[in-house]
Amino acid sequence: MTLLTPTPESIQRAAETLRGGALVAFPTETVYGLGADATNGRAVARIYEAKGRPSFNPLIVHVSDISEAESFAEISDRAYALAQSFWPGPLTLILPLKKDSGISDLCTAGLPTIAVRVPAHKVAQDLLKSAGVPIAAPSANASGRLSPTEAAHVLESLGEKVDLVLAGGRAEKGLESTICDVSGERAVILRHGVITKDDLEAVLDEEVIFAAEESADPQAPKAPGMLLKHYAPTKPLRLNAVDVEEGEALLGFGSLKFMGVKSGGAAATTIPREHIRNLSESGDLYEAASNLFAALHALDSQDVKGIAVMNIPDQGVGIAINDRLKRAAHS
Ligand code: TXA
Ligand code: MG
């Protein structure tokens, strides 16, 4: 495995590595992706192998712009409006796949639709342009584990299973992209992210609905990524905590002033410093989203019995944060 700082030369080398059928991890504005040439089935198969991911779970295909997406996916007026407003950026659209698209079936897991995203991160953009092929890329972590927002997380989780890592600093948004299915009659959010329902509705002149989770209706659209146990740290999470139990770490939001250790009577400041992470002291939900996975990674690696998580307001981007926390807590 080779770890490189992004420069024009290293991006060129990463592009050649991709075109040669190998795996390249690269930064995006959401999380690090584990990329393979989406038109090369053998290369895409290596993603599933490296992640240990169940092969029914389809992948997001990354392209450099709308016109590249159009070469293999149908873009309706509604999809176009969203793409125009949010690409490049943290929005994935589920679109009907064109016939003879050239995209490997492994990306779509045989579905008639495809997940497409144009990332905004400069390194991702340069890599896409240099490679000249669409890049299939799930988050660069072992299946079911926390998503990586730093190159170090990728090394920790995948190590030698990835051929080359472009280390481009911290992923700024910190949460995987919002997934909106625009392949059917209604626009349906399959995964929450920093682009919210209100953001989508402000562009579309229609109500956007949420996909039913673990739905009673088997026809309801679902992203396999909605599987409840998905973003699991190894330590148990206790949500909406109003205090900290002896031996627990604290994942805070806003002021920690009143977060004492239960029955010990001690204040939060007596919890070892390395056992505390605050997602956002000022209570900013975007800042909290951006810090979430790195904070979970950090606390999960401490010698603690569990992680107490303070309440996060369930509105705007808070919905996506709580969605990830609920999944992380479900074991
Ligand atoms: O922010 C992101 O989206 C990151 C970065 C690397 O771009 N990628 C990412 O990919 O989170 P991944 O593979 O971890 O998540 C892909 C999600 C899964 O939940 C999958 O079920 C869903 O997209 N998906 C892919 N194709 C689909 C399709 N045709 N229909 C419904 N859901 C689909
Ligand atoms: Mg993932």
Side-chain angles (χ1 to χ4, degrees):
M1 193 270 298
T2 313
L3 183 73
L4 297 174
T5 304
T7 60
E9 294 72 36
S10 65
I11 288 173
Q12 184 63 38
R13 180 167 158 197
E16 280 159 19
T17 304
L18 269 173
R19 283 198 303 263
L23 300 183
V24 171
F26 61 98
T28 83
E29 71 278 25
T30 58
V31 298
Y32 273 71
L34 178 64
D37 174 354
T39 64
N40 177 344
R42 291 172 68 95
V44 178
R46 295 194 54 206
I47 293 182
Y48 287 105
E49 183 188 51
K51 283 187 65 97
R53 163 178 273 204
S55 57
F56 52 75
N57 206 347
L59 307 171
I60 296 175
V61 173
H62 299 68
V63 291
S64 59
D65 56 28
I66 299 182
S67 70
E68 193 183 352
E70 241 167 347
S71 68
F72 56 82
E74 304 282 357
I75 305 197
S76 63
D77 290 349
R78 187 167 56 176
Y80 197 80
L82 291 176
Q84 277 279 320
S85 302
F86 298 109
W87 284 355
L91 177 69
T92 294
L93 294 174
I94 306 294
L95 303 167
L97 182 65
K98 285 185 175 168
K99 278 210 166 49
D100 303 318
S101 63
I103 302 288
S104 160
D105 286 345
L106 276 180
C107 296
T108 54
L111 294 169
T113 53
I114 185 163
V116 189
R117 175 161 112 79
V118 176
H121 198 290
K122 170 100 173 49
V123 174
Q125 274 287 335
D126 290 350
L127 179 64
L128 281 162
K129 289 196 183 104
S130 183
V133 291
I135 300 178
S139 49
N141 54 279
S143 186
R145 312 311 315 186
L146 289 169
S147 289
T149 53
E150 298 170 16
H153 300 156
V154 179
L155 304 189
E156 238 171 72
S157 189
L158 295 174
E160 291 302 321
K161 294 186 180 129
V162 45
D163 300 296
L164 190 152
V165 179
L166 286 171
R170 278 196 52 185
E172 172 216 347
K173 304 285 184 203
L175 287 185
E176 303 87 347
S177 59
T178 303
I179 302 182
C180 183
D181 185 346
V182 284
S183 67
E185 305 250 300
R186 308 281 307 264
V188 183
I189 293 179
L190 300 185
R191 181 172 73 187
H192 300 286
V194 298
I195 292 176
T196 63
K197 172 177 150 85
D198 288 350
D199 294 335
L200 297 171
E201 285 177 348
V203 171
L204 300 177
D205 219 4
E206 65 182 75
E207 201 203 339
V208 175
I209 57 176
F210 290 140
E213 200 154 299
E214 308 300 305
S215 170
D217 175 6
Q219 301 291 63
K222 256 192 222 168
M226 301 285 282
L227 293 174
L228 247 185
K229 182 181 185 305
H230 192 70
Y231 301 92
T234 58
K235 303 270 161 55
L237 257 60
R238 192 164 61 82
L239 303 184
N240 299 317
V242 292
D243 50 24
V244 184
E245 284 171 17
E246 198 67 54
E248 270 185 338
L250 171 62
L251 184 64
F253 178 78
S255 169
L256 307 187
K257 224 170 27 196
F258 300 106
M259 293 302 289
V261 177
K262 223 179 192 172
S263 73
T269 46
T270 66
I271 303 171
R273 269 185 93 77
E274 62 276 18
H275 293 177
I276 304 176
R277 283 287 184 292
N278 196 341
L279 293 175
S280 169
E281 268 170 51
S282 65
D284 177 334
L285 288 169
Y286 286 94
E287 185 185 14
S290 143
N291 289 329
L292 179 66
F293 288 129
L296 282 172
H297 274 285
L299 295 179
D300 198 31
S301 68
Q302 297 293 324
D303 183 21
V304 291
K305 67 168 196 189
I307 304 170
V309 184
M310 284 169 71
N311 176 65
I312 313 281
D314 205 33
Q315 50 186 261
V317 182
I319 295 175
I321 298 174
N322 283 324
D323 169 73
R324 301 306 190 278
L325 283 171
K326 272 182 235 154
R327 287 165 209 287
H330 190 91
S331 52

Coordinates of all heavy atoms in Angstrom, one line a residue, residues 30-31 33 53 57-60 62 94 111 113-115 117 137-139 176-177 179 190-191 223-225, ligand 1:
T30 N -17.3 14.5 1.7 CA -18.2 13.9 2.7 C -17.3 12.9 3.6 O -17.2 13.1 4.8 CB -19.3 13.1 2.0 OG1 -18.7 12.1 1.1 CG2 -20.2 14.0 1.3
V31 N -16.8 11.9 3.0 CA -15.9 10.9 3.6 C -14.9 10.4 2.6 O -15.1 10.7 1.4 CB -16.7 9.7 4.2 CG1 -17.8 10.1 5.2 CG2 -17.4 8.9 3.1
G33 N -13.4 7.8 0.0 CA -14.0 6.8 -0.8 C -12.9 5.8 -1.2 O -11.7 6.1 -1.3
R53 N -18.0 -6.6 2.0 CA -19.3 -6.1 1.9 C -20.2 -7.1 1.2 O -19.8 -7.7 0.2 CB -19.3 -4.8 1.0 CG -20.6 -4.3 0.5 CD -20.5 -3.0 -0.3 NE -20.7 -1.9 0.7 CZ -21.1 -0.7 0.3 NH1 -21.4 -0.5 -0.9 NH2 -21.2 0.2 1.2
N57 N -25.2 -5.1 -2.0 CA -25.2 -3.7 -1.7 C -24.5 -2.9 -2.8 O -23.3 -2.9 -3.0 CB -24.5 -3.5 -0.4 CG -24.9 -2.2 0.3 OD1 -25.6 -1.4 -0.2 ND2 -24.5 -2.1 1.6
P58 N -25.4 -2.1 -3.6 CA -24.8 -1.4 -4.8 C -23.9 -0.2 -4.4 O -24.0 0.3 -3.2 CB -26.0 -1.0 -5.5 CG -27.1 -0.9 -4.5 CD -26.8 -1.9 -3.5
L59 N -23.1 0.3 -5.3 CA -22.1 1.3 -5.0 C -22.5 2.7 -5.7 O -23.3 2.7 -6.6 CB -20.8 0.9 -5.6 CG -20.3 -0.5 -5.1 CD1 -19.0 -0.8 -5.9 CD2 -20.0 -0.5 -3.6
I60 N -21.9 3.7 -5.2 CA -22.1 5.0 -5.8 C -21.0 5.2 -6.9 O -19.9 4.9 -6.6 CB -22.0 6.2 -4.8 CG1 -23.2 6.1 -3.7 CG2 -22.0 7.5 -5.4 CD1 -23.1 7.0 -2.6
H62 N -19.0 7.8 -9.1 CA -18.6 9.2 -9.1 C -18.2 9.6 -10.5 O -17.4 8.9 -11.2 CB -17.5 9.4 -8.1 CG -17.8 9.1 -6.7 ND1 -18.1 7.8 -6.3 CD2 -18.0 9.8 -5.6 CE1 -18.4 7.8 -5.0 NE2 -18.4 9.0 -4.6
I94 N -30.3 8.8 -7.4 CA -30.6 7.4 -8.0 C -31.3 7.7 -9.3 O -32.4 8.3 -9.3 CB -31.4 6.6 -7.0 CG1 -30.8 6.5 -5.7 CG2 -31.7 5.2 -7.7 CD1 -29.5 5.7 -5.6
L111 N -29.4 -3.8 -10.3 CA -30.6 -3.0 -10.3 C -30.7 -2.2 -11.7 O -29.7 -2.0 -12.3 CB -30.5 -1.9 -9.2 CG -30.6 -2.5 -7.8 CD1 -30.3 -1.4 -6.8 CD2 -32.0 -3.1 -7.5
T113 N -31.4 0.8 -11.8 CA -31.0 2.2 -11.5 C -29.6 2.3 -11.0 O -28.9 1.2 -10.7 CB -31.9 2.7 -10.3 OG1 -31.8 1.8 -9.2 CG2 -33.3 2.9 -10.8
I114 N -29.0 3.5 -11.0 CA -27.6 3.7 -10.6 C -27.5 4.9 -9.7 O -28.2 5.9 -9.9 CB -26.7 3.8 -11.8 CG1 -25.2 3.8 -11.3 CG2 -27.0 5.0 -12.7 CD1 -24.2 3.5 -12.4
A115 N -26.7 4.8 -8.7 CA -26.4 5.9 -7.8 C -25.2 6.7 -8.3 O -24.2 6.2 -8.6 CB -26.0 5.4 -6.4
R117 N -22.9 10.5 -8.2 CA -22.5 11.7 -7.5 C -21.3 12.4 -8.2 O -20.4 11.8 -8.7 CB -22.2 11.3 -6.1 CG -21.7 12.4 -5.2 CD -21.8 12.0 -3.7 NE -20.5 11.9 -3.1 CZ -19.8 12.9 -2.6 NH1 -20.1 14.1 -2.8 NH2 -18.6 12.6 -2.0
A137 N -17.2 4.1 -5.9 CA -16.5 4.3 -4.6 C -17.5 4.3 -3.4 O -18.2 5.3 -3.2 CB -15.7 5.6 -4.5
P138 N -17.5 3.3 -2.6 CA -18.2 3.3 -1.3 C -17.2 4.0 -0.3 O -16.1 4.3 -0.7 CB -18.4 1.8 -1.0 CG -17.2 1.2 -1.6 CD -16.8 2.0 -2.8
S139 N -17.7 4.2 0.9 CA -16.8 4.8 1.9 C -15.7 3.8 2.1 O -15.9 2.5 2.1 CB -17.6 5.0 3.2 OG -18.4 3.9 3.5
E176 N -21.7 10.9 5.0 CA -21.9 10.5 3.7 C -23.0 11.3 3.0 O -23.9 11.9 3.7 CB -22.3 9.0 3.6 CG -21.4 8.1 4.3 CD -21.6 7.9 5.8 OE1 -22.4 8.7 6.3 OE2 -21.1 7.0 6.4
S177 N -23.0 11.4 1.7 CA -23.9 12.2 0.9 C -25.4 11.8 1.2 O -25.7 10.7 1.5 CB -23.6 12.0 -0.6 OG -23.7 10.7 -0.9
I179 N -28.8 10.8 -0.1 CA -29.2 10.0 -1.3 C -30.6 10.3 -1.6 O -31.5 10.1 -0.8 CB -29.0 8.5 -1.1 CG1 -27.5 8.2 -0.8 CG2 -29.4 7.7 -2.4 CD1 -27.2 6.7 -0.6
L190 N -33.3 8.5 0.5 CA -33.0 7.1 1.0 C -32.0 7.2 2.1 O -31.8 6.2 2.9 CB -32.4 6.3 -0.2 CG -33.3 6.0 -1.4 CD1 -32.6 5.1 -2.4 CD2 -34.6 5.5 -1.0
R191 N -31.2 8.3 2.1 CA -30.2 8.4 3.2 C -30.1 9.9 3.5 O -30.0 10.7 2.6 CB -28.8 7.8 2.8 CG -27.8 8.0 3.9 CD -26.5 7.2 3.5 NE -25.7 7.9 2.5 CZ -24.7 7.4 1.9 NH1 -24.2 6.2 2.3 NH2 -24.0 8.1 1.0
A223 N -32.5 2.1 0.5 CA -31.1 1.9 0.2 C -30.6 0.8 1.2 O -30.9 0.9 2.4 CB -30.4 3.2 0.5
P224 N -29.9 -0.2 0.7 CA -29.4 -1.2 1.6 C -28.5 -0.5 2.7 O -28.4 -1.0 3.8 CB -28.5 -2.1 0.7 CG -29.1 -1.9 -0.6 CD -29.6 -0.5 -0.7
G225 N -28.0 0.7 2.5 CA -27.3 1.4 3.5 C -28.2 1.8 4.7 O -27.7 2.3 5.7
Ligands
TXA1 O1 -20.6 10.5 0.6 C1 -20.8 9.4 0.0 O2 -21.8 9.1 -0.6 C2 -19.5 8.4 0.0 C3 -18.4 9.1 -0.8 C4 -17.2 8.1 -0.9 O3 -18.9 9.5 -2.0 N1 -19.9 7.2 -0.6 C5 -20.7 6.3 0.1 O4 -20.9 5.1 -0.6 O5 -21.2 6.5 1.2 P1 -21.5 3.8 0.1 O6 -21.3 2.7 -0.9 O7 -21.0 3.6 1.5 O8 -23.1 4.0 0.1 C6 -23.8 3.8 -1.0 C7 -25.3 3.8 -0.7 C8 -25.7 2.5 -0.1 O9 -26.6 2.8 1.0 C9 -26.4 1.9 -1.2 O10 -27.4 1.0 -0.8 C10 -27.0 3.0 -2.0 O11 -26.0 4.0 -1.9 N2 -27.3 2.8 -3.4 C11 -26.4 2.6 -4.4 N3 -27.0 2.3 -5.5 C12 -28.3 2.3 -5.3 C13 -29.5 2.1 -6.1 N4 -29.4 1.9 -7.4 N5 -30.7 2.2 -5.5 C14 -30.8 2.5 -4.1 N6 -29.7 2.7 -3.3 C15 -28.5 2.6 -3.9

